[in-house]
Amino acid sequence: MKTARAGLAALLLLTLVPSAQAVPVANSAAAKSALQASHAHALDTAANGNLKAAIREMQLALSVSKDAPRAERDRVELSIGRLHYENGDFDKAVEAYGHVAKGGPSWLEALEEEAWAQFRRGQPHDSIARLKTVTSSAFVETTTSEPFFLLGLAQLRVCDYKAVFQTIEKFKERFIGKAKAYEASTKASEKTKLKEIGESVQKLNIVEAEAIQRLYLDENGKPRRGSAPSITKGSDQLSFPDDDTDEVWMDEVDSYKVTLKGCVAPGPVVARKDAASKEITR
């Protein structure tokens, strides 16, 4: 599944029909055709750099195509969420992703992308709530490896180190077998999946190393007694520098800045009713 970070390139993949302006329609078949065309036109607008105009086009298309199939309307809502994310408006992105119907073809994709938006707007607990659904064993055949990285990163952000290590173990259980199968395959699609798993391994190595380092430091940022656990490096791992203050680590993979001090305080999660059934507290 594509994440919101994939940007406009991923959006353009949704263009299925020639460009057309939004027009009111009455029946479902016509609504689908008109909505797809309007969606494609709006994506062209976005590709030309006018994200706000593209969002307005999509919103207009939805307003005049109320009889279109829900799955097609959800694809448009997904695109609106992505454009808001691309524009740095994470609150509106979360709102758009929340309009995608539970259980529909786009639902898990929307949950994952909403989790990125929640994390970027400083709500890691809400991000974790969404990702608990996305990484559930119920969706083992459809979930890709990247949500596990974001889950581990969000758990690191709230200083839930035990959960970080549990997520890493769950990732290994879920993807080691798949990676071996993909490695033996000659299909280009499975080689792509293998590459994605490898990238997630590298990112999770960084998260794991950061958690180990934090566990070695006391609440004042000073080393505990004894030696810090060693962190091995290999071809499947990445190193990460520090700025000699022990306060900030820079993730080499995607330039995520993780502050060593000042974990996000735990509290009730504002849970979507279709994503999590209970509050998460620590």
Side-chain angles (χ1 to χ4, degrees):
M1 105 183 29
K2 297 289 183 182
T3 71
R5 298 182 305 111
L8 295 180
L11 288 172
L12 293 176
L13 294 177
L14 298 177
T15 305
L16 303 176
V17 294
S19 300
Q21 298 292 338
V23 292
V25 290
N27 62 74
S28 181
K32 180 178 180 179
S33 177
L35 184 57
Q36 285 182 332
S38 298
H39 190 190
H41 185 272
L43 292 176
D44 286 340
T45 301
N48 289 326
N50 199 336
L51 303 188
K52 290 184 178 180
I55 291 170
R56 289 194 296 270
E57 285 186 41
M58 292 181 191
Q59 290 172 334
L60 174 61
L62 288 173
S63 69
V64 298
S65 303
K66 296 182 183 292
D67 292 332
R70 183 59 186 265
E72 181 58 28
R73 291 177 61 84
D74 284 347
R75 295 307 298 177
V76 179
E77 294 285 9
L78 197 62
S79 289
I80 291 173
R82 287 170 173 168
L83 289 175
H84 279 308
Y85 186 100
E86 189 82 13
N87 209 33
D89 196 337
F90 304 121
D91 289 344
K92 289 184 178 178
V94 167
E95 181 182 356
Y97 290 133
H99 292 159
V100 175
K102 177 184 178 181
S106 301
W107 179 55
L108 280 181
E109 199 170 3
L111 274 184
E112 180 185 342
E113 295 184 17
E114 183 193 341
W116 275 106
Q118 294 283 11
F119 185 83
R120 291 293 300 276
R121 73 172 183 164
Q123 299 294 330
H125 291 91
D126 288 338
S127 181
I128 290 168
R130 285 20 170 203
L131 292 166
K132 287 293 186 179
T133 297
V134 175
T135 60
S136 166
S137 58
F139 306 112
V140 65
E141 297 302 323
T142 55
T143 302
T144 60
S145 59
E146 181 149 325
F148 287 85
F149 161 61
L150 179 55
L151 179 57
L153 186 64
Q155 290 165 335
L156 180 67
R157 185 69 186 87
V158 301
C159 301
D160 192 348
Y161 305 125
K162 180 179 179 180
V164 169
F165 298 126
Q166 289 174 337
T167 293
I168 291 171
E169 287 305 309
K170 186 176 180 180
F171 171 86
K172 292 176 182 178
E173 293 171 2
R174 184 80 60 90
F175 290 100
I176 284 178
K178 290 184 177 182
K180 290 179 179 178
Y182 296 153
E183 193 171 20
S185 175
T186 58
K187 295 180 180 179
S189 61
E190 297 195 345
K191 291 300 182 184
T192 298
K193 293 177 181 178
L194 178 62
K195 181 180 178 182
E196 292 174 352
I197 292 174
E199 291 172 349
S200 295
V201 167
Q202 291 177 329
K203 295 174 183 179
L204 281 169
N205 281 333
I206 294 171
V207 171
E208 182 179 37
E210 174 70 11
I212 291 171
Q213 289 294 326
R214 289 192 187 188
L215 287 171
Y216 177 62
L217 298 175
D218 66 19
E219 62 184 7
N220 295 314
K222 296 180 179 180
R224 300 180 188 276
R225 289 184 182 179
S227 300
S230 60
I231 300 174
T232 58
K233 299 177 183 178
S235 59
D236 63 343
Q237 293 179 311
L238 296 181
S239 61
F240 50 96
D242 77 273
D243 63 358
D244 296 325
T245 67
D246 282 333
E247 291 193 5
V248 175
W249 295 91
M250 293 301 294
D251 177 334
E252 290 181 355
V253 180
D254 286 308
S255 297
Y256 291 109
K257 183 183 292 184
V258 181
T259 304
L260 194 60
K261 300 176 183 177
C263 296
V264 175
V269 172
V270 181
R272 275 177 52 181
K273 60 183 179 180
D274 59 358
S277 59
K278 60 183 180 181
E279 293 182 344
I280 295 177
T281 57
R282 289 182 60 240

